[in-house]
Amino acid sequence: MAPWWVAVAAAGIALLPRRYCGWVAAVLFLWGAGGVVLDAFRAFFWVTGIPAGSFAEVDWPGAARRMTCLVAAAVLSTGLLRGGESRHVWGSSWLGYAAFAAGFPYPMLKLYWSLGGSLARPAVYNEGMPVMELFCLVAGAAVSLALVQSWGRRLPRVVVLIPAWFATGVLINMGALMVFGITSQALGITDGPVDFDDASSLLGVGAVYLSWLVFGLTLGGATWAYQRTTRPIASIIPETVRL
């Protein structure tokens, strides 16, 4: 998890007028939000009372800080993207297809292990068929393709946008958690569980989390493009023209 001062630094940098400062602040807020998905799982077990051992223990102040950072990162990034729309083209369909491809590595790896594969497999692995991972693969593939293929334009926007933005947030948060966590541990900023002497484990775990991060970033780009290109015509026409 990120140190508390990351959120403070991000808030301070966000007040500076330069555009690149906004992006730096958004990245720092994203670092500060790392682990909010795990907080949500912990809160779920805490509320429902489902036995989960220590995983049902919630750091409420930390969870509130991470959620605030997540909201700040989303709001700041959205504002920066909207402000730069005149200089960027967000209609590239390759983002959706890249997201489609990025959804395969993790479920396929779990399937490979469940079928007896040993490459990069953890020393203790007692999981069976990865049913949930395969379900998420199918759902993620469907959403990715809906964002860029013609049949997706015939669906209600909300049916596509809600799961797409939700998945984007979860994937980027979990993927960034690994990137920032390993980097900050390597630099001595934070303590962590990573064993830098175990190269195979580091590469295996890193590849999985990086695939989540790439999946989230490409899915987010494709979702932003879909949202812009499927807006009602009245919201696209400038106000002066409508008058």
Side-chain angles (χ1 to χ4, degrees):
M1 304 300 180
W4 64 268
W5 53 261
V6 171
V8 177
I13 295 174
L15 298 176
L16 300 177
R18 299 292 184 181
R19 182 178 175 81
Y20 67 83
C21 292
W23 282 115
V24 171
V27 171
L28 289 176
F29 275 130
L30 181 61
W31 181 13
V36 72
V37 175
L38 301 178
D39 291 328
F41 276 110
R42 289 178 180 275
F44 169 78
F45 288 116
W46 182 84
V47 170
T48 60
I50 297 175
S54 61
F55 203 69
E57 299 174 3
V58 186
D59 171 20
W60 292 110
R65 183 179 69 250
R66 287 185 282 274
M67 179 57 70
T68 301
C69 285
L70 179 63
V71 173
V75 171
L76 191 55
S77 299
T78 300
L80 291 166
L81 287 172
R82 286 178 175 171
E85 280 185 357
S86 61
R87 296 188 295 274
H88 297 279
V89 178
W90 293 96
S92 301
S93 60
W94 68 269
L95 286 168
Y97 294 113
F100 173 82
F104 278 83
Y106 178 63
M108 291 296 98
L109 180 62
K110 294 294 289 286
L111 179 62
Y112 166 73
W113 286 341
S114 70
L115 295 176
S118 59
L119 181 64
R121 181 175 176 170
V124 178
Y125 188 80
N126 300 319
E127 299 181 32
M129 184 65 65
V131 177
M132 283 303 300
E133 287 84 351
L134 293 175
F135 171 79
C136 290
L137 169 62
V138 173
V143 171
S144 300
L145 294 179
L147 293 168
V148 293
Q149 294 196 342
S150 59
W151 57 267
R153 299 296 193 271
R154 295 191 291 270
L155 297 173
R157 293 175 81 239
V158 68
V159 172
V160 179
L161 288 175
I162 288 180
W165 279 126
F166 177 78
T168 294
V170 171
L171 289 164
I172 290 179
N173 185 263
M174 290 300 295
L177 176 65
M178 182 278 301
V179 173
F180 289 119
I182 289 181
T183 302
S184 60
Q185 183 180 339
L187 295 176
I189 298 174
T190 60
D191 294 327
V194 178
D195 182 3
F196 291 104
D197 294 327
D198 188 352
S200 61
S201 176
L202 182 61
L203 288 175
V205 172
V208 166
Y209 278 84
L210 280 176
S211 73
W212 290 354
L213 183 59
V214 172
F215 191 3
L217 291 173
T218 52
L219 185 65
T223 305
W224 184 259
Y226 175 91
Q227 181 170 310
R228 289 194 62 237
T229 56
T230 59
R231 285 185 298 186
I233 189 66
S235 68
I236 301 175
I237 300 175
E239 187 70 24
T240 53
V241 175
R242 280 186 271 162
L243 292 176

